[in-house]
Each structure stands twice: as structure tokens, then as C-alpha cells.
Amino acid sequence: MALQIGRAFQDGIDELLSERGAMFAGVFIVYGLLSSVVWASLSQAFTELFLGRLPSDAQVNQAAMAGGTPLALDLPLAVAGVGALVLLIFNEALNIVAIRAFASDDREPIPDNVGRRLGRTVVVAIAAGILTTIAVGIGLILLIIPGLVFGLLFFFVRQEIALNDSGVIESISNSVRVVTDNLLATFVLAIVLVVLGFVLGGAVSFLPISLPPMVLATVSTVFSSVVSVFSIAVTTVAYLQATGSSYTQDTESIGGL
């Protein structure tokens, strides 16, 4: 079955406006705000650590630099680092649960099977994410274009892992196959989602009124979180279209590795 861009976006909008979409939007907003606070705090802690090692005559702007990050809390470096790591793992789990929910025919907001083998799936997703990020990064460093091509070819890796229990190499290979079979449609889909993310994520910056940095960061995070949920829904619908499959896995191994 061919990937239908218009249908994917329409279904994505329907999912976002549903009870399920609203629930995930709320969860992603809370996660996004918490993540912004933790990462801002980690950045501030690193800045303070770096500036603290400079000679005293080079620390004139230390207070301004360390305190200029919106949403940052005065957390110890170790605490902020552990918090960031925990949030990265939670983010992967949250994305997997959202993909499975949006792919399910069960109209309950949280279908019974979304937690199936979640621990193992998160580990595989993180490993695949590291591998694909390295590949995209190397491609961007070399000639930019190869990195963008890799990013497009890896477009459905997370869906492969979440819905089919694919391993690291298998998920990458299957994503490449699905994308190459629907190359133009996937390219257009990816471009629209990226542009939408940039426009809505930065829309607050173009308001005709001046807002405090903390308010700007908070509102931007809210918009970005909603766009993330919409992007997951659209990408998942597109993947199901392109593969002609449906997610009806059993629930026997919930939570296992």
C-alpha cells in the first residue's frame, strides 16, 4: 500500500484532537517542561564549573552567564546529569508507548498492549538511536547532504522497533526499505513535519509583544511538545500505510525485556 500524504496528515490531526491525542499532548508538555528545566540546569551547572576554573580576572561576567538560562534551577552537576539521563530513557519509553497507541485499533486512550516488552524495546531503541545519530552526524560533517539522506532513510526506525519488535540492524534495514519504496512521499512528509516544528516552535518569538525569557521558553516548549505528538501520530499512520500492516500484537509479555 502506497503512502498517502494527505491521508496521513488528516489521520494525524484526528488523532491529535482525540481523547488519546489530548492525553499524550498533556504528558508530552509536562515532560517537555521538566526536560527543559533539567537540561537548562545541567547547562548552567557546566557553565559554572567551567567559569570556576578560570582565573579570577576572567570571571567578571560569571554571574550573568551562569544565571542567563531560562528555566534553570540551581542543581548540583551530578543531580542534573542523572536527571537528564533518566529523562532520556523516559522519553524513549514515552515515544514507544505513543507510537503503539496511535497504531492500535483499540480506541481506548491507552490500549492494553502498549507496554508489551517495554524494557527490551527501550534498550533497542536507544541503541538504534545512538547508531543512527552517529551515522547522520558523520554524514553532516562530511558533506551535509549524506547526513540528510541518512536522516530520511532512518525515518521509520522507531516505528519498526515499537511495532515489530525489530532489532537494531533489522529496524534500520527495514526503515531503509520502506523509505526507498516510498521515497518522494516520505521526503515530502519529513520536510513538512520539520518546517511545521520550526514554525510553531519558534512562533512565540515573532509575537509583536516582548515577553520574559522564561515565558518564551515555556510557551515554545508547549508548542513543540504538541507538534511532537502530532509528528508521532502522522509518522506512525504513514508507516502503517507504507507497510500495509496493523498493530495487533498480543499482550503476554508486558514490561519484559
Side-chain angles (χ1 to χ4, degrees):
M1 181 178 178
L3 196 166
Q4 301 173 354
I5 299 174
R7 179 64 182 275
F9 275 101
Q10 183 59 60
D11 288 353
I13 292 173
D14 291 342
E15 288 287 0
L16 181 63
L17 297 178
S18 67
E19 181 182 358
R20 174 181 297 166
M23 185 200 66
F24 274 109
V27 174
F28 270 77
I29 287 172
V30 172
Y31 166 79
L33 292 173
L34 183 59
S35 181
S36 295
V37 169
V38 171
W39 283 102
S41 302
L42 182 62
S43 174
Q44 178 174 282
F46 268 119
T47 300
E48 292 175 348
L49 178 65
F50 171 74
L51 292 176
R53 295 178 179 275
L54 295 176
S56 57
D57 57 354
Q59 300 184 24
V60 178
N61 297 321
Q62 178 174 352
M65 292 181 64
T69 307
L71 303 179
L73 299 178
D74 188 17
L75 297 177
L77 180 59
V79 173
V82 171
L85 179 60
V86 171
L87 285 174
L88 282 174
I89 297 172
F90 178 77
N91 176 65
E92 203 60 60
L94 183 58
N95 276 274
I96 291 167
V97 169
I99 289 170
R100 289 176 172 176
F102 287 130
S104 176
D105 292 331
D106 188 342
R107 298 322 300 167
E108 289 295 322
I110 301 293
D112 292 336
N113 57 357
V114 296
R116 186 181 55 83
R117 306 181 71 187
L118 187 58
R120 173 196 175 277
T121 307
V122 168
V123 172
V124 173
I126 291 175
I130 293 173
L131 187 59
T132 55
T133 299
I134 291 174
V136 172
I138 293 175
L140 290 174
I141 291 173
L142 292 178
L143 293 170
I144 298 180
I145 299 300
L148 299 178
V149 172
F150 284 148
L152 181 64
L153 292 175
F154 302 151
F155 194 67
F156 294 119
V157 167
R158 190 174 271 145
Q159 277 70 26
E160 272 288 331
I161 295 171
L163 303 180
N164 294 334
D165 290 335
S166 300
V168 175
I169 302 302
E170 182 185 9
S171 64
I172 293 174
S173 174
N174 289 345
S175 176
V176 170
R177 175 181 55 79
V178 174
V179 171
T180 52
D181 288 345
N182 301 268
L183 187 58
L184 181 58
T186 306
F187 174 75
V188 173
L189 188 75
I191 290 295
V192 172
L193 289 176
V194 169
V195 171
L196 187 64
F198 275 119
V199 171
L200 293 184
V204 186
S205 303
F206 299 102
L207 292 177
I209 57 176
S210 178
L211 296 174
M214 181 175 292
V215 175
L216 284 173
T218 301
V219 176
S220 179
T221 298
V222 170
F223 277 122
S224 297
S225 300
V226 174
V227 171
S228 294
V229 175
F230 176 67
S231 297
I232 291 172
V234 171
T235 305
T236 301
V237 170
Y239 171 81
L240 295 177
Q241 287 181 354
T243 58
S245 60
S246 60
Y247 181 59
T248 56
Q249 302 282 1
D250 59 46
T251 61
E252 292 180 0
S253 301
I254 292 178
L257 284 171

